[in-house]
Amino acid sequence: MSQTHLIEAVVEPLRRHPPFDRLPDAALRALAGAARIRHLPAGAVLFEQGARPHDDVYVVRKGAIAVRREVDGASILLDRCDAGAVLGARAHIAGTPYAARAEAEEDALIVALPYARLGPMLEAHPALALFFAAGFAVGLPRTGERIIEATERARRRWALGAEADEDDRAVMPSRSVLTCAGETTVQAAAQAMAARGVGSIIVADAEQRPRGIMTDVDLRARVVAEGLDPARTPVGDVMSSPVATVAEGVTAVELLGRMMRRRIHHFCVTADGTPDTAITGVISDRDVLSSLGTHPTSLMRRIGQAPDAETLRALRARAERLIARYLEQERAMRFVAGVAAAIDDAATRRALSLALEASGPPPVAFCWLALGSEGREERLLRTDQDNALVYVDPPPAQAEAAQAWFLGFGERVTDLIAASGVVLCPGGVMARNPAWCQPLSRWKATFSKWIRTPEPRALMHADIAFDLRPVEGDRALAEALRDHIFAELDAERGFLNFLAANALRNPPPLSFFRQFIVERSGAHESAFDLKSRAMMPLCDAARVLAHAHRLTVYGSTPRRFRALAAAEPERAGLFEEAAVAYEMLMRRRAQSGLAHGDSGRFVPIDELGTLQRRSLRNIFAVIDEVQGVLRSRFRTDFIR
Amino acid sequence: MGWWSERRARKARAAARAALEGADPRALRYVERPFALDPRSPAERARFVVLDSEATGLDLAADRLLTVAAVAVVDGAVRVADHVELTIDRPTVGAAPIHGLLPRDLAGGTSEAEAMLGLLDHLEDAVLVAHHVAFDGGMIEAALRRIHPALRLWNPRLDTAALARRLELGPLPVQPSRGASFALDALCDRYGVPMSGRHTAAGDALATACLLLVLLARARRQGIVTVGDLLR
């Protein structure tokens, strides 16, 4: 009983942060009992990019650690970690060198936990494995935005426990298992693998009980590298053995821990889960990971078959819960926004096909366009509709009839979408409105008018319309429209200057924020307008610059910035930061929206943690620089 | 406090060894252990045992130790596994109210002699560190004398309060005039050392150990490099 107070003093701060808040006391104490606490003076390096993983995984106890990644000679700041952040775990789990360099930005105290203790816990405590897997289970790189918010997780409900039902579903094994006998030659086995286009073969005995596995890696490392003759070597000599076996009905979460801990890539499913019964299937790491991420696919399939708006509404509500969970699991923003957009599009397509069933075939080909945030694939939650319709110019005699048909169709579609839970646009920016439902020639004329005679009201529409994205129908119509826009921009160069000046109307509140950071206790009554203060400036700038470069990418502001980074290598660092900053803001806004059941536009200032304040301040610095690019490139001063 | 001549220490230990003939083997082991600490070796190479104790009062002669918690600092890191917590079963005098110890908190403790011998086993030849080490060291020494009059605390001692004062105000004893406090709370606050489990011996020992890490880094920057420099 006597040796516990000191360990408790080590445990207590750990327990305040995920994933340690999920560990049972005994495990946490065992871990803390083996901890070492180190002091890093400012500037000292915790680990170097490319170095082999140390014996320990690090938790920041106090101070700040900067995580930087060297890419093509440029050093990109991925993250600033403070209290509670876990560093260096990924390298251990993935068995790769450190992907970034960690350096103390200010004096720091670090708790070092031996991975030899933490690793086995991945298997015993699935929540721990899920925590570390959340970022890269879907095969996406973990980006800075994920790590930077890791330290904030403690303040949020980490909804993996009670609500993890969907992750608890059994993984479906693949039933077509390629097997061979141990005496089979490596060459014959490799030929069988090649014929089936698979990377592994299970070695089984006469009763089909698994004895081992030979994979592409074994072929490389144990046959070719060793100089063995594939025509003479039996598979039994080079296979990996024993093979990991599981019983039917095993869940992804159960497998995840074993997979990560022991770097197992294939599991043999047997009748009783031991190697003593016959093989019934195989589960690969890909199956496990995709089953953690498949729900959107199955949801989208069901959306595609929804018989009515009521069903669509229920499915969209489910999708929204899924998005909420992804946000809480800190999945990469690109993935979350991608899923949300895919679901949005699937629902829109279903509404279109339901409307087509009712309206009959269209008189001419058309293309359905998503506009505004939906066009940018940035609408994480159901807000309101912004859409338009462009159709092939009909013969003059049929122009009126065609317009009537498409307006009726537009009304039907937008009503269906509204019934599925996305309210009609209060500003009327929808394909049911004659201004937003036009043949291609009239659309071209509309854009020409906006570009050649920019006035503030038109500019507001232009902001929405310049983010158009084809969702369904004849994409060539959308592309013809875009080509027209680019041609008009070439002819009327002043428009982008005007758009740039418009994009600068919200300068970042740098001074306000500095003061705000000093006055920690003040300003508690105010809320911060995340949308107009931070997101719109970036979004507007990306739109202007993307059009200046005539970039043909559809989609999100981060995607635009990343395309800009490729187009302007000398500013790649800034644009990459802007992309990450925007993703962080999207996440923050969505989380705030979920927490308060609103659009998330206003964030109560007292809800911002120190780190969020600091990261917001950094984001403002990025916005300031991006706006500087606009200011120097476009003659905005003449216009203002 | 301070470094003492190796020769004098050796003589005192030889006398103690003779006097302790037949005493507890742990006491003998402690006395017979050769002190391997080289004053010229880098300071962070030494093993430090950072300790905090609670006692019935502040009088070295009359008061008694109640709890002692100690954790080692090795190779510049606090090694949590290398710690000891001792509760002394002697609830006859009322504990100082600040510590909030109830008699039942002390139930299951060990005798003072048992606790001290356990502590010696843990100390080995480490540098004993405490905040105001004169008090903790003095209480331990008094307890050791009660076990055997010849038993002394041999370990060199380092006071984190004095070290902080030396680093901030220079080597000469200056009056810390303008209110800079050298209390543990104030120093931890000043040097960014978080505290948990405050006002328990274990919590304070851990905080003091973390403070030592910070002070050692600062000392190195100020040219205090070797064990000898540090204990001077």
Side-chain angles (χ1 to χ4, degrees), chain A residues 1-10 12-13 16 32-39 41-42 61-63 107 109, chain B residues 70-71 76-81 83-85 87 107 192-197 202-203 205-206 210 213-214 217 221:
Chain A
M1 89 118 218
S2 65
Q3 309 244 333
T4 58
H5 296 301
L6 198 127
I7 288 180
E8 182 54 35
V10 179
E12 189 257 318
R16 276 185 253 146
R36 288 178 312 129
I37 302 171
R38 289 174 51 191
H39 171 254
R61 175 74 177 95
K62 178 91 192 208
D107 284 13
L109 282 171
Chain B
V71 64
V78 180
R79 195 180 283 177
V80 177
H83 83 275
V84 67
E85 281 176 56
T87 306
V193 172
M195 306 207 95
S196 52
L206 188 67
C210 291
L213 296 181
V214 180
R221 282 201 297 275

Side-chain angles (χ1 to χ4, degrees), chain A residues 119-420:
Chain A
M121 291 182 182
L122 288 174
E123 260 178 279
H125 308 288
L128 197 62
L130 261 174
F131 172 85
F132 288 117
F136 55 85
V138 286
L140 292 165
R142 285 214 290 184
T143 52
E145 48 110 12
R146 201 202 78 80
I147 311 169
I148 200 163
E149 292 184 1
T151 48
E152 287 294 307
R153 274 179 288 232
R155 286 186 204 114
R156 289 198 297 273
R157 189 168 48 95
W158 193 42
L160 283 176
E163 293 169 41
D165 54 320
E166 290 181 63
D167 280 331
D168 283 345
R169 292 186 315 191
V171 185
M172 278 306 290
S174 158
R175 296 297 175 194
S176 59
V177 186
L178 184 61
T179 62
C180 67
E183 304 80 53
T184 315
T185 65
V186 168
Q187 184 169 31
Q191 282 162 352
M193 287 161 67
R196 284 274 288 274
V198 295
S200 64
I201 189 165
I202 305 284
V203 183
D205 63 11
E207 276 90 53
Q208 283 294 300
R209 294 179 299 199
R211 285 294 156 261
I213 183 169
M214 184 179 74
T215 64
D216 284 344
V217 175
D218 297 325
L219 280 172
R220 192 182 338 127
R222 297 185 180 173
V223 182
V224 179
E226 296 288 323
L228 297 180
D229 180 357
R232 294 218 193 137
T233 311
V235 170
D237 285 4
V238 297
M239 67 184 184
S240 303
S241 178
V243 61
T245 53
V246 294
E248 293 279 349
V250 67
T251 67
V253 174
E254 286 174 276
L255 290 179
L256 194 62
R258 289 179 69 179
M259 234 177 66
M260 287 168 59
R261 169 69 184 133
R262 302 201 210 141
R263 301 197 195 127
I264 294 172
H265 300 289
H266 298 86
F267 294 93
C268 255
V269 184
T270 61
D272 71 351
T274 72
D276 303 326
T277 49
I279 304 165
T280 59
V282 166
I283 295 172
S284 71
D285 52 357
R286 191 178 292 253
D287 297 331
V288 173
L289 296 181
S290 68
S291 92
L292 286 171
T294 42
H295 323 312
T297 326
S298 72
L299 256 180
M300 272 185 285
R301 202 177 52 239
R302 288 166 63 189
I303 285 173
Q305 295 159 350
D308 50 40
E310 222 18 70
T311 317
L312 272 181
R313 188 187 188 94
L315 289 169
R316 290 193 80 128
R318 274 191 67 134
E320 213 156 83
R321 287 199 295 275
L322 183 70
I323 300 294
R325 227 180 63 227
Y326 284 162
L327 287 168
E328 288 182 341
Q329 289 173 1
E330 307 284 336
R331 298 262 173 118
M333 199 64 223
R334 262 179 271 191
F335 171 74
V336 182
V339 168
I343 286 170
D344 243 352
D345 285 0
T348 303
R349 288 200 188 97
R350 186 58 193 155
L352 281 163
S353 66
L354 286 172
L356 276 176
E357 278 170 28
S359 299
V364 289
F366 73 94
C367 185
W368 187 268
L369 305 173
L371 306 179
S373 65
E374 195 187 343
R376 290 193 308 272
E377 303 183 354
E378 289 172 9
R379 194 173 65 179
L380 295 183
L381 311 172
R382 289 177 287 182
T383 48
D384 63 335
Q385 303 186 32
D386 282 321
N387 49 50
L389 193 150
V390 52
Y391 54 93
V392 171
D393 278 285
Q398 295 164 27
E400 223 164 286
Q403 191 191 24
W405 190 93
F406 279 112
L407 280 173
F409 177 68
E411 190 170 338
R412 197 162 253 153
V413 177
T414 50
D415 279 344
L416 273 166
I417 296 177
S420 80

Side-chain angles (χ1 to χ4, degrees), chain B residues 120-182:
Chain B
L120 292 184
D121 242 17
H122 182 76
L123 268 177
E124 300 184 335
D125 61 348
V127 176
L128 177 71
V129 185
H131 205 69
H132 302 303
V133 74
F135 171 72
D136 303 87
M139 290 302 287
I140 292 167
E141 191 125 65
L144 290 180
R145 278 175 209 254
R146 284 191 286 274
I147 297 173
H148 195 289
L151 198 53
R152 297 280 189 285
L153 189 63
W154 303 115
N155 304 67
R157 302 178 202 180
L158 178 67
D159 185 0
T160 40
L163 179 58
R165 184 175 277 128
R166 176 175 162 198
L167 294 174
E168 288 185 24
L169 305 172
L172 297 171
V174 181
Q175 214 42 23
S177 49
R178 283 166 302 279
S181 167
F182 289 89

Side-chain angles (χ1 to χ4, degrees), chain A residues 511-529 603-608 613:
Chain A
S511 53
F512 157 73
F513 224 74
R514 277 198 197 107
Q515 191 185 11
F516 160 73
I517 278 188
V518 174
E519 294 169 6
R520 280 173 189 232
S521 57
H524 45 271
E525 73 285 5
S526 55
F528 179 70
D529 185 347
V603 177
I605 272 173
D606 47 9
E607 273 185 24
L608 295 175
R613 291 176 194 201

